[in-house]
Amino acid sequence: MFYINGKKSNQNQIPKPTKRSNLTIVVGSGRLGASISAFLSDQGKDVTVIDVDEKSFRKLSPDYSGFAMAADATDVNVLEKAGIKTARALVAVTNYDNVNIMISQIAKAIYDVPIVVSRIYDDTKEVINQDYDIKTIYPTKLCMSSFEEIFANN
Amino acid sequence: MKIAIVGAGKKVDYLVSSLKDKKHQIVVIDNNEDDCNNLSRTFNIDVILGDGSKPFVLEDAGVHGYDLLIALTPKDSHNLVICQLAKKAFGIRRAFATVTNPKNVSVFQKLGINTVISDTHIVAQIIEQMASVEEVVNFLPLEDGKIQLIEYTLMENNKIIGESLANIGFPATAVIGCIMRNGAGIIPNGETIFERGDRLIMLCTNEGKNDTLKFFKKASRD
């Protein structure tokens, strides 16, 4: 930020969108991503699923009624095209932890998306998202708690 | 200085050799075995084989308390995570990242990584600025182009020759920091008289750049 003749230059400010649609963007059309997309579209929500690999959309259920975009979602232009500026939620569930981290941080810190969910396999990376309001799913922790339950009951 | 480099390949080879000449302590982390072997054979430095975006690999490399980390992998998302880990979990204050997508320069900055280098971005910026002005010898964008260092030579027909700095009505949005005259530097004050061939070194904000260029355009034309 710079001040010129006492006037603040606002080059860095991002315009905050006022209205949110009921769109959810799902990044990654793997097994989890495809299931989430089908679940949301079943509930009557608008869904756009993005994946780099067009073939992965085969995993979407035949009833899925949202959009599918074959593109690299780590590019902000792709996210904007998908409608991130007005989206209500973003779910980052690609197979790559780092990609999920990057996309969920972009959604939260730059576009201020109200609900951001991300899946991270490696729970030692927890520290990285601590400064952001991102809901994170750790499959290892979930499996571990299921295992403990099963083992305790037997 | 203690420097950690994540990534390998030609860029890293060159970087390591130049940093080693300056007697810095270096550790390189990369997940390609051949590249790791090559590096350790050529340079006699510590090389760690592994994914540098994993905390335990950085732990193995012992990067705690290092002065600088440079992330040079080909994947932008890797570089982001590596730099954030370095800052948040390993207390490394300065983390540099390179990005392949020029748009990610501003994205990374908004996510807390301030020093981001995109070669495409830099070359585009330089070409754009070279093309926009004629007599300006040199432009150096600082702080991602928000501040500009401008070098300008006074040609024969320039109106400000023979005038003092106080009298030329120089724009308030820029400062003349130094005048190079016959190979020596002069720090100007209001009474300094400009001479032919003076090379002015100026510092201004991006907004002040236009005022400065307009000023010199006018002075050399009339």
Side-chain angles (χ1 to χ4, degrees):
Chain A
M1 199 79 77
F2 289 95
Y3 292 84
I4 294 182
N5 298 335
K7 225 179 89 205
K8 200 195 263 181
S9 122
N10 53 359
Q11 261 186 328
N12 279 338
Q13 281 172 13
I14 312 139
K16 290 257 156 67
T18 43
K19 252 182 146 178
R20 293 280 171 181
S21 62
N22 92 63
L23 171 73
T24 300
I25 299 173
V26 178
V27 184
S29 181
R31 254 165 257 291
L32 182 62
S35 307
I36 291 173
S37 304
F39 170 78
L40 291 171
S41 127
D42 224 36
Q43 288 194 331
K45 303 235 160 63
D46 293 336
V47 184
T48 295
V49 56
I50 309 174
D51 198 298
V52 271
D53 183 9
E54 208 166 343
K55 278 181 253 149
S56 69
F57 297 135
R58 283 187 305 197
K59 294 186 199 100
L60 290 167
S61 84
D63 302 332
Y64 174 69
S65 60
F67 291 99
M69 259 175 93
D72 178 0
T74 57
D75 187 319
V76 281
N77 287 12
V78 170
L79 289 171
E80 286 195 6
K81 228 176 175 178
I84 196 170
K85 280 185 177 167
T86 57
R88 193 182 62 97
L90 179 136
V91 184
V93 286
T94 72
N95 269 327
Y96 305 98
D97 281 358
N98 296 346
V99 172
N100 294 344
I101 289 169
M102 181 170 170
I103 292 170
S104 51
Q105 287 190 5
I106 290 175
K108 200 71 209 180
I110 300 181
Y111 295 101
D112 202 22
V113 176
I115 306 167
V116 179
V117 184
S118 116
R119 182 225 349 234
I120 299 177
Y121 288 112
D122 183 352
D123 54 9
T124 59
K125 286 182 186 170
E126 210 169 350
V127 58
I128 250 181
N129 276 345
Q130 68 188 7
D131 300 338
Y132 302 100
D133 177 22
I134 294 169
K135 311 276 179 269
T136 311
I137 299 168
Y138 298 101
T140 329
K141 283 187 182 172
L142 291 179
C143 292
M144 213 38 222
S145 65
S146 300
F147 171 80
E148 280 166 17
E149 210 174 291
I150 293 167
F151 220 68
N153 293 339
N154 286 293
Chain B
M1 250 195 334
K2 287 172 158 182
I3 303 170
I5 299 171
V6 186
K10 282 271 172 311
K11 271 187 209 161
V12 173
D13 279 2
Y14 183 75
L15 192 61
V16 169
S17 69
S18 96
L19 289 173
K20 237 193 135 216
D21 286 348
K22 292 174 191 124
K23 306 272 180 258
H24 295 298
Q25 186 190 325
I26 303 163
V27 62
V28 177
I29 301 158
D30 190 64
N31 56 2
N32 182 309
E33 200 171 345
D34 291 340
D35 283 342
C36 284
N37 280 333
N38 271 334
L39 274 170
S40 83
R41 222 177 292 135
T42 330
F43 293 112
N44 185 31
I45 50 167
D46 287 342
V47 182
I48 309 289
L49 175 66
D51 177 353
S53 72
K54 296 213 181 271
F56 77 89
V57 174
L58 293 173
E59 193 82 59
D60 280 354
V63 298
H64 271 292
Y66 264 51
D67 301 296
L68 173 66
L69 177 138
I70 307 169
L72 289 165
T73 78
K75 282 224 166 97
D76 292 1
S77 57
H78 273 46
N79 291 340
L80 177 72
V81 169
I82 292 161
C83 287
Q84 289 193 340
L85 278 176
K87 287 190 154 195
K88 290 180 184 174
F90 291 90
I92 301 175
R93 263 194 301 156
R94 299 173 68 195
F96 285 19
T98 54
V99 290
T100 43
N101 182 347
K103 280 171 270 171
N104 280 338
V105 173
S106 69
V107 169
F108 274 41
Q109 284 168 345
K110 282 169 197 154
L111 299 179
I113 308 302
N114 293 320
T115 318
V116 192
I117 303 151
S118 153
D119 27 19
T120 330
H121 187 76
I122 290 171
V123 171
Q125 241 182 355
I126 292 174
I127 291 176
E128 198 181 302
Q129 291 178 333
M130 290 287 184
S132 66
V133 213
E134 312 115 46
E135 276 151 312
V136 174
V137 190
N138 213 344
F139 251 130
L140 184 67
L142 304 170
E143 288 292 315
D144 196 35
K146 288 183 202 125
I147 299 173
Q148 310 274 347
L149 192 80
I150 306 176
E151 227 181 285
Y152 183 92
T153 307
L154 294 183
M155 301 295 188
E156 207 161 349
N157 56 355
N158 203 304
K159 274 206 133 181
I160 68 168
I161 293 168
E163 300 281 340
S164 67
L165 176 54
N167 284 334
I168 59 171
F170 193 73
T173 47
V175 287
I176 300 177
C178 183
I179 299 173
M180 295 303 294
R181 184 179 294 167
N182 305 325
I186 303 167
I187 304 296
N189 56 35
E191 283 134 42
T192 309
I193 309 284
F194 293 103
E195 289 180 15
R196 201 184 112 193
D198 279 358
R199 203 147 47 82
L200 314 183
I201 296 167
M202 292 163 288
L203 201 61
C204 60
T205 59
N206 211 11
E207 288 85 347
K209 183 181 83 177
N210 293 334
D211 296 343
T212 315
L213 295 180
K214 247 183 244 160
F215 173 82
F216 282 112
K217 240 176 199 167
K218 213 171 149 222
S220 60
R221 196 177 296 143
D222 312 338

